[in-house]
Amino acid sequence: MLTLPRSLRRALPLAANGRHLRATVVTMATVLGTYGWVLLVEHLVGLHADSLVQAVVVASALGRVQRAFDRTDRAVACLVLPCAAAGATELGTLIRQQPGLGDAMFVLGMTAAIGVRRFGTRATRAGTLVVLPLLAVLVVPAGVAPTDGPARAGWAALTALFAVVWGTLLTWAAHRTRVLPPPPAAWVVRGPVSARPGPAPSTRMALQMATALTAAFVVGRTVWPDHWAWVVLSAHLVCGGARSRGDVLVKGAWRTLGAAAGTLAGGALPGTFGPGSDTTVVLIFAVLAVGTWLRELSYAYWAACVTAALCLLYDWFGQDPGDLLRTRPAGIAAGALIGLAASWLVLPIRTAAVARARTAAALAGLGELLEADWHDVCAVRRARARFAHGVDQLGLAVAPLRVLAALPAPGRPRACAALEAWSALQGCAGPADELTDAVTAGPADLADDPAVTGRRARAAAHALAVRRAIGRRPPPPDGPPADAPDPTGTPAAPGPAVRTALDALTALDTRLDALTRLYPPRQAPSAASVTVR
């Protein structure tokens, strides 16, 4: 596939584990089951091959996003995805018959699906479901005779409903048998309300997507009128879901390099199996399975596998992919550049700002753990889960920084505060686990122990001070100082739970010292400097 430098291999999670493979099996089972359903419907009602393509695209994307769904999300998916599939089917007809109006409606739909993210996690997931059938509109090769009419939209909705139900059954069985870990609860993934001035991140991303798609439609229909969808699809994949400028930069590079490799691999066997060959279908599913497995390792692998699968799809429809070896990479590169320009020029989201916000969110979870009522073990475990989720989200935000830092560059490597903060918070994971286990073992003993109470008060004040420094606010006016001695009354021979808690709190305080060096506190103005006017 792609040969990466050793520094990049260290920056990427290239050690594929069993969890990724098991998730791939569940996803491909969802895809194959949906594909079998559409084959049955095709023979019964006479649908064309474009319905097969739409079903596979929707099912493959659904198989990945449904891993984080809970019961409420799946109930919403049973309503949203069928409606979106029917609407996307009619939109595809509109794009063929009235390109200008259809393109505008496509841009509006994609923009709205991103704009609803401001209403919370569930709205974000519902918007993601709307996007899946819209992407399928761009995947069907040009020149394929579609099935028009209201019946096709109805069957598309029924197929989407089947994909949701079938995928839910498979995922439920995987969770029950512990093949896959259960998704985090809604109270864990609930994000904090942003207090930053200016447009919300979801609004920025929606405007970036609208700009990118509009430019991609114009460029695609002008330069490549027969293959405009490549430019639009590439612009969406690069710009859509980008967390920051660094994220879209790395994603655009992986998209272009992976697509070029996939085009070369997929174009190596043009016309080998012939139109409508069953061998080509098997190869398409095999390539999709490999891409699904490797997607968590690097987006470049996913881009390469999807592009190779599309080349095989063109071969299955009788279109020679060998003639497109130069046209396809050019269209994909143009779309990637358009997505990159939109993300960097239209209300850009700075990578450092995202990292600071997510560092503060992770510290909020740690502070909740330290300030919780330790008599309530459930509250302690919930706080620990929120802290772990916050660290994971920070890891996603700094992922492009790890890749960029691993690139060879002259001179000494520059220190990155976001990466160091992520490393420090990762170091807090072990002590936080030990502290949670100690509280679970003896909640009353720890909650009433004066030594533990004093030390956790200092750690909580330390975490709060770092959070205020990240937000560029002065430290809190009160609270125990970081170097305050332990209160008197410490038992001569503390129990094992108390010793574990004291050691864990000391380790957390030490890790917070590293964050204090990265984000020094902002000094509050002194009384002498205040001038009364």
Side-chain angles (χ1 to χ4, degrees):
M1 187 71 63
L2 293 177
T3 301
L4 301 177
R6 181 178 300 178
S7 57
L8 283 183
R9 292 200 300 268
R10 289 197 301 264
L12 298 173
L14 293 178
N17 55 31
R19 180 173 59 86
H20 292 162
L21 184 59
R22 293 192 297 269
T24 299
V25 172
V26 175
T27 297
M28 293 310 299
T30 303
V31 174
L32 293 176
T34 306
Y35 179 74
W37 159 264
V38 180
L39 281 180
L40 176 63
V41 172
E42 181 189 24
H43 291 303
L44 292 178
V45 302
L47 297 179
H48 289 185
D50 61 314
S51 298
L52 290 172
V53 176
Q54 183 189 43
V56 170
V57 172
V58 171
S60 60
L62 177 65
R64 182 173 182 270
V65 302
Q66 71 179 355
R67 302 173 198 169
F69 283 7
D70 58 16
R71 294 180 180 178
T72 303
D73 294 323
R74 298 187 186 281
V76 172
C78 289
L79 176 64
V80 171
L81 190 58
C83 295
T89 301
E90 295 298 326
L91 179 59
T93 303
L94 181 62
I95 290 177
R96 289 189 300 271
Q97 296 176 354
Q98 303 182 47
L101 179 59
D103 296 350
M105 295 300 296
F106 185 93
V107 173
L108 181 61
M110 284 290 190
T111 303
I114 295 177
V116 298
R117 296 179 182 181
R118 65 180 306 167
F119 299 110
T121 303
R122 297 203 186 279
T124 299
R125 293 173 178 173
T128 302
L129 293 172
V130 173
V131 169
L132 306 185
L134 294 177
L135 290 179
V137 174
L138 304 176
V139 174
V140 178
V144 176
T147 306
D148 292 326
R152 178 171 177 259
W155 283 112
L158 189 59
T159 299
L161 180 61
F162 177 88
V164 173
V165 175
W166 175 241
T168 297
L169 292 176
L170 292 175
T171 307
W172 174 83
H175 291 161
R176 293 284 294 180
T177 57
R178 299 187 182 276
V179 172
L180 292 179
W187 47 263
V188 173
V189 301
R190 183 177 63 250
V193 179
S194 176
R196 295 181 58 193
S202 59
T203 303
R204 295 171 181 258
M205 296 171 67
L207 293 176
Q208 292 169 3
M209 178 60 69
T211 303
L213 291 180
T214 301
F217 270 113
V218 173
V219 173
R221 291 199 179 275
T222 302
V223 182
W224 299 283
D226 294 332
H227 302 290
W228 56 267
W230 297 346
V231 186
V232 178
L233 180 61
S234 184
H236 173 272
L237 293 179
V238 170
C239 187
R243 304 176 184 91
S244 61
R245 293 188 300 182
D247 192 20
V248 75
L249 178 62
V250 172
K251 196 174 182 181
W254 286 153
R255 167 69 179 162
T256 304
L257 294 176
T263 299
L264 294 175
L269 301 173
T272 302
F273 306 108
S277 172
D278 293 337
T279 304
T280 303
V281 175
V282 174
L283 286 176
I284 289 174
F285 284 120
V287 171
L288 284 178
V290 173
T292 303
W293 178 37
L294 298 179
R295 177 168 183 160
E296 300 298 332
L297 311 182
S298 173
Y299 187 80
Y301 295 106
W302 171 250
C305 290
V306 168
T307 306
L310 289 176
C311 290
L312 292 171
L313 181 65
Y314 274 68
D315 190 25
W316 189 87
F317 279 109
Q319 301 181 19
D320 185 5
D323 296 336
L324 306 175
L325 289 179
R326 286 185 294 180
T327 306
R328 182 189 293 273
I332 291 174
L337 288 175
I338 290 172
L340 178 63
S343 297
W344 276 65
L345 300 178
V346 181
L347 298 176
I349 303 174
R350 297 176 58 247
T351 309
V354 176
R356 290 179 72 99
R358 295 198 177 185
T359 301
L363 281 172
L366 180 60
E368 184 179 350
L369 172 63
L370 295 172
E371 297 172 1
D373 180 7
W374 282 7
H375 292 94
D376 188 352
V377 176
C378 292
V380 173
R381 289 176 175 171
R382 289 189 175 189
R384 172 64 184 93
R386 273 191 279 266
F387 170 64
H389 179 72
V391 176
D392 291 340
Q393 293 301 303
L394 176 59
L396 294 176
V398 301
L401 297 177
R402 299 202 306 270
V403 175
L404 294 174
L407 292 174
R412 298 181 58 184
R414 296 177 58 186
C416 180
L419 292 178
E420 293 181 13
W422 176 61
S423 177
L425 285 172
Q426 275 192 314
C428 293
D433 287 338
E434 295 173 1
L435 182 61
T436 303
D437 293 340
V439 173
T440 303
D445 295 338
L446 296 186
D448 300 331
D449 186 272
V452 174
T453 301
R455 195 166 298 184
R456 79 157 169 157
R458 290 198 309 277
H462 199 170
L464 177 59
V466 176
R467 284 182 58 199
R468 293 180 69 90
I470 291 175
R472 297 181 175 89
R473 294 179 294 170
D478 52 3
D483 56 351
D486 290 336
T488 59
T490 303
V498 172
R499 290 197 300 268
T500 300
L502 290 174
D503 292 341
L505 289 169
T506 301
L508 289 174
D509 212 22
T510 302
R511 295 290 182 178
L512 290 174
D513 286 336
L515 290 173
T516 302
R517 290 191 294 270
L518 295 172
Y519 305 104
R522 180 181 179 183
Q523 297 298 326
S526 61
S529 64
V530 177
T531 303
V532 180
R533 297 184 183 273

